[in-house]
Amino acid sequence: MSKNIPKKKYRKRTAKNNKEILVLSELEIIEKKIKKDIKKNPDVIIWSDGSCRGNPGCGGYGVILKNTLTGEIKEISGEEQSITTNNRMELMGVITGLSSLKRPCKVLLYSDSQYVVKGINIWLKNWVRKNWKNSGDKEVANKDLWIRLLVLINIYSVTAIWKSENASVEILRCDELSKIASMNANNKVLLEESLENPEEYYQTCKDIDRI
């Protein structure tokens, strides 16, 4: 007795389909060549890290930029006194680093954040295609910062590489800068609170052995 076996559905290939596939493959090849060139001959190297006290809590970020042509090195750090997250600070570090560049160039970016690196290399394209929806059909977290970063990536040729914190003295330095910045932000918030409620702040400090 024969069974009705469902036939496989094949997408009908047309000249248009073939042309689209060819164009996509050519673009992928060009993109790979550009990334390979950036890895070998970047104009600027950026190392970046972010931190947050409490996550969520006060945050900070640290960035190091190196001009490979002149050898000039620049350090940047910033803080966020309002409630933020570690991921937002990681993104702010990269945004601040790219925003400090004065002209379009080839940028090699190192980060110890898989969130940042995968976002730049993989997720961004899908988010844009899906109108900023993630795989769960929900709005992408930190959409405002990702949009800012996307604009900068379209200006500069950026290749992002993940590097563990302990594998790079520059990332370690960025980590130090980010933690100092987040601590400063936290201390400013505590100071403001102490001025508003000095007695309550004094008692809190005694309870946690700060005084």
Side-chain angles (χ1 to χ4, degrees):
M1 183 177 177
S2 62
K3 295 182 179 180
N4 293 324
I5 301 173
K7 294 181 179 179
K8 291 183 179 179
K9 292 183 179 180
Y10 294 96
R11 182 183 173 187
K12 186 179 179 181
R13 283 206 169 189
T14 62
K16 185 180 179 181
N17 295 147
N18 290 332
K19 189 175 181 180
E20 287 175 354
I21 292 169
L22 182 60
V23 169
L24 283 173
S25 62
E26 287 177 350
L27 288 174
E28 288 170 357
I29 291 169
I30 292 170
E31 187 177 3
K32 286 179 181 179
K33 285 182 178 179
I34 291 172
K35 288 186 175 182
K36 188 176 180 180
D37 178 54
I38 292 174
K39 286 180 182 179
K40 287 185 176 180
N41 305 295
D43 297 319
V44 176
I45 302 175
I46 295 178
W47 296 267
S48 179
D49 197 13
S51 66
C52 184
R53 295 181 68 83
N55 197 26
C58 295
Y61 53 84
V63 186
I64 296 175
L65 300 97
K66 180 179 180 180
N67 185 321
T68 60
L69 301 176
T70 65
E72 181 185 358
I73 295 176
K74 181 179 180 180
E75 290 186 351
I76 305 173
S77 63
E79 62 186 48
E80 180 62 64
Q81 293 182 37
S82 59
I83 299 300
T84 187
T85 64
N86 190 74
N87 281 343
R88 287 186 70 82
M89 291 298 95
E90 295 279 7
L91 287 170
M92 275 305 302
V94 178
I95 290 169
T96 301
L98 291 173
S99 297
S100 69
L101 300 176
K102 297 178 181 178
R103 59 181 177 80
C105 56
K106 296 182 291 185
V107 179
L108 183 57
L109 169 69
Y110 287 108
S111 172
D112 68 346
S113 169
Q114 292 280 11
Y115 176 69
V116 168
V117 174
K118 287 184 177 179
I120 292 173
N121 292 338
I122 304 171
W123 301 334
L124 259 179
K125 293 177 182 178
N126 294 330
W127 290 339
V128 172
R129 193 178 73 251
K130 294 180 179 179
N131 196 26
W132 296 100
K133 298 289 184 181
N134 60 23
S135 57
D137 202 33
K138 296 180 180 179
E139 185 173 279
V140 171
N142 305 314
K143 174 184 170 183
D144 58 326
L145 296 183
W146 280 113
I147 290 175
R148 288 176 62 183
L149 185 53
L150 179 62
V151 171
L152 291 166
I153 289 173
N154 285 332
I155 297 173
Y156 305 99
S157 298
V158 180
T159 295
I161 297 176
W162 180 83
K163 181 165 281 192
S164 67
E165 184 179 293
N166 296 325
S168 168
V169 292
E170 291 87 0
I171 292 291
L172 280 172
R173 175 58 179 160
C174 290
D175 178 65
E176 182 183 13
L177 290 170
S178 69
K179 286 179 178 176
I180 291 172
S182 63
M183 184 170 61
N184 287 340
N186 191 61
N187 288 340
K188 288 176 183 177
V189 171
L190 290 175
L191 179 60
E192 289 176 2
E193 291 176 353
S194 71
L195 294 174
E196 292 175 2
N197 303 289
E199 292 183 4
E200 182 180 336
Y201 178 73
Y202 177 78
Q203 185 59 48
T204 301
C205 288
K206 283 186 68 177
D207 293 341
I208 60 176
D209 296 324
R210 288 187 179 179
I211 295 178

